[in-house]
Amino acid sequence: MTELNITHDPAQRSWVASANRPDHDFPLQNLPWGVFAVSGDRPRVGVAIGDQILDIAAANSAGFFTQSAKVAADAAAGDALNALMALGGSACSALRRQVFEMLVEGDGVAAVRARAQSAQLLLPAGAVEMGLPCKIEGFTDFLTSVDHLSRARRSTHPQNPVPEAFYHLPLAYNSRASSVRASGHNVVRPNGQSKAGDGAMYFGPATALDFELELGALVATGNPLGSPIPVRTAGGHVFGYCLLNDWSARDIQRWETTPLGPFLGKNFCTVISPWVVSAEALAPFRVPARPRGMGEPATLPYLHDREDSLSGGLDLQLQAWLTSERMRARDLAPVRVTTTNLRHLYWTFAQMIAHHTSNGCDLRTGDLIGSGTVSGPDLESRGCLAEFQEPLHLPDGSTRQWLLDGDELVFRARASKPGCASIGFGECRSMVLPALPWPVGG
């Protein structure tokens, strides 16, 4: 488990003024990683600080990094984070520490030099294009919210909304890494096969398009095939976290899921936030894992670790906001659809990774692990529209049971705790576009 250090100190301020605003997602204590490009140039690695981006390659060329931080900066010289992630925690932590020393307010040598060279080292975040932070090698999406299951399945499985297996293991399916995109990518309504209420079969645009508010974990170092990762060390295999919208076509999903699980109802697009908040930055917000309730089975030994039970959860508030095309035309404010917290999840990310590899499956640097829909016990914490029994009312006078073309979803997340600097994730934004005519291309 990551120890707290000077980079977590809430009293520390940055000479980048915007980073000191209490409402900003990217203070000095955050320093998330991402990949950006300027005017069509080759993408490169950067660190967010306030409304600016520190160019790691430029700082490296200027001689700011030494020893293991220099090794890490050299690994970050490409157009993705994979090589940096593959170095593991100590090298990435060393680079984070020296970036902190560059950006902290004061008369330290690195900070004085960096401030003097700020024109060469920093770029306005609004002047760049953000891309995927790394090459996504694989994508496994879990189902870890008992509140999501009990609400989303009560109409289709009223006698057994939560299957027995859920209480014994983190359920998951393998989705499609090739269709993961960065925030700002607009999802095209998928075509698919389904069954109408009258029993008729049809193929066409999905009629029950939904979002799923999730957190994604990106794998730093993997494991050899045949060598499982135990819960006690699984947290060390996570580089950092991002927001994740697991777009879902519920009508397609319902028809295809039995007997092999989700396929075309899920794999058409997944959108993630471009900034990766490191596991180290989130260390102050570790909380106990969700305790097992009365009558719920004890966790099997291979999924239990005392340290993970005490601090394997995250106190992270997540929100989903929606605007319709008509709302934007009338300049109406977005509607908050969901406010939930990651601490409600039944399984921790360490347990997800341990179970994923328990049969010897190998994870690789850049693998994306989805938490599944993050829902809580209250109605305001419903993490997708499938959990709504009543339509959602919008200020333009319309209602939603499912998403319409032109609807835009924005996810945000924030970790806050007394005595700590509050940090955020930026946005995960995506709009629904109309389905393409079929057959495509004639």
Side-chain angles (χ1 to χ4, degrees):
M1 195 63 63
T2 302
E3 298 291 335
L4 300 188
N5 55 53
I6 187 66
T7 67
H8 302 105
D9 183 356
Q12 301 296 320
R13 294 169 59 84
S14 175
W15 51 262
V16 179
S18 59
N20 301 318
R21 296 203 326 250
D23 62 337
H24 209 291
D25 279 353
F26 305 135
L28 183 64
Q29 294 77 10
N30 193 346
L31 304 179
W33 302 93
V35 172
F36 70 95
V38 181
S39 302
D41 288 350
R42 182 180 69 87
R44 54 192 190 270
V45 172
V47 169
I49 178 70
D51 60 7
Q52 303 291 304
I53 297 175
L54 175 69
D55 187 331
I56 293 296
N60 196 20
S61 297
F64 278 92
F65 305 125
T66 61
Q67 298 179 337
S68 56
K70 170 71 164 117
V71 174
D74 289 344
D79 58 1
L81 287 169
N82 297 67
L84 172 64
M85 295 161 64
L87 293 178
S90 59
C92 295
S93 182
L95 181 54
R96 169 184 161 84
R97 177 65 172 264
Q98 292 192 13
V99 168
F100 178 91
E101 292 169 354
M102 290 177 62
L103 298 172
V104 69
E105 189 176 66
D107 56 3
V109 174
V112 171
R113 282 188 58 211
R115 189 164 192 171
Q117 300 178 45
S118 59
Q120 292 75 47
L121 300 175
L122 296 178
L123 301 93
V128 308
E129 181 179 348
M130 300 299 299
L132 283 175
C134 65
K135 179 183 178 184
I136 306 296
E137 293 289 346
F139 174 27
T140 304
D141 198 30
F142 280 82
L143 199 166
T144 60
S145 168
V146 67
D147 300 297
H148 166 64
L149 258 181
S150 61
R151 280 195 289 259
R153 283 168 48 98
R154 62 187 163 196
S155 61
T156 56
H157 299 77
Q159 304 303 318
N160 183 33
V162 182
E164 181 184 5
F166 175 87
Y167 295 106
H168 294 274
L169 57 89
L171 300 172
Y173 68 95
N174 287 309
S175 196
R176 187 71 181 171
S178 66
S179 55
V180 178
R181 295 292 186 273
S183 175
H185 178 85
N186 295 326
V187 60
V188 176
R189 183 180 296 273
N191 286 290
Q193 181 186 132
S194 191
K195 188 175 183 179
D198 60 4
M201 298 306 306
Y202 71 89
F203 178 88
T207 59
L209 192 62
D210 200 357
F211 69 90
E212 287 194 351
L213 176 57
E214 302 190 23
L215 191 72
L218 288 165
V219 172
T221 55
N223 59 300
L225 184 65
S227 299
I229 299 172
V231 177
R232 69 177 182 274
T233 62
H237 289 262
V238 175
F239 176 76
Y241 300 89
C242 60
L243 293 169
L244 188 156
N245 187 348
D246 184 35
W247 286 99
S248 302
R250 302 298 188 188
D251 47 344
I252 300 172
Q253 179 185 354
R254 283 193 298 265
W255 175 238
E256 71 183 3
T257 294
T258 302
L260 290 181
F263 182 35
L264 299 183
K266 291 281 194 176
N267 70 0
F268 56 95
C269 188
T270 301
V271 177
I272 64 174
S273 55
W275 291 109
V276 181
V277 177
S278 69
E280 182 174 6
L282 286 169
F285 308 100
R286 291 284 177 185
V287 293
R290 181 189 184 278
R292 295 298 180 253
M294 184 71 68
E296 295 175 354
T299 305
L300 290 176
Y302 84 101
L303 288 174
H304 176 74
D305 175 73
R306 182 176 182 277
E307 188 65 30
D308 188 58
S309 296
L310 294 174
S311 58
L314 281 172
D315 186 0
L316 179 65
Q317 186 186 70
L318 300 96
Q319 295 183 337
W321 298 77
L322 184 149
T323 59
S324 68
E325 191 170 26
R326 191 158 58 179
M327 286 171 64
R328 294 190 298 276
R330 297 181 181 180
D331 201 27
L332 298 175
V335 170
R336 188 178 65 192
V337 181
T338 305
T339 297
T340 186
N341 196 295
L342 200 79
R343 66 191 308 163
H344 296 311
L345 293 188
Y346 199 84
W347 300 98
T348 68
F349 274 101
Q351 290 172 315
M352 295 179 220
I353 290 172
H355 182 68
H356 198 319
T357 63
S358 61
N359 67 345
C361 173
D362 57 324
L363 297 182
R364 295 182 291 184
T365 299
D367 277 357
L368 176 63
I369 306 293
S371 65
T373 306
V374 182
S375 298
D378 303 321
L379 290 183
E380 69 173 5
S381 61
R382 293 173 290 190
C384 65
L385 292 178
E387 298 181 36
F388 281 63
Q389 286 192 306
E390 74 290 345
L392 173 69
H393 291 265
L394 301 183
D396 63 6
S398 65
T399 60
R400 294 289 186 277
Q401 188 63 61
W402 305 109
L403 297 173
L404 300 182
D405 296 346
D407 288 348
E408 183 176 56
L409 269 296
V410 178
F411 292 175
R412 298 188 179 95
R414 199 160 185 86
S416 301
K417 178 182 176 182
C420 296
S422 177
I423 65 176
F425 281 66
E427 290 185 346
C428 180
R429 179 184 294 268
S430 194
M431 185 186 298
V432 180
L433 301 181
L436 297 174
W438 188 266
V440 178

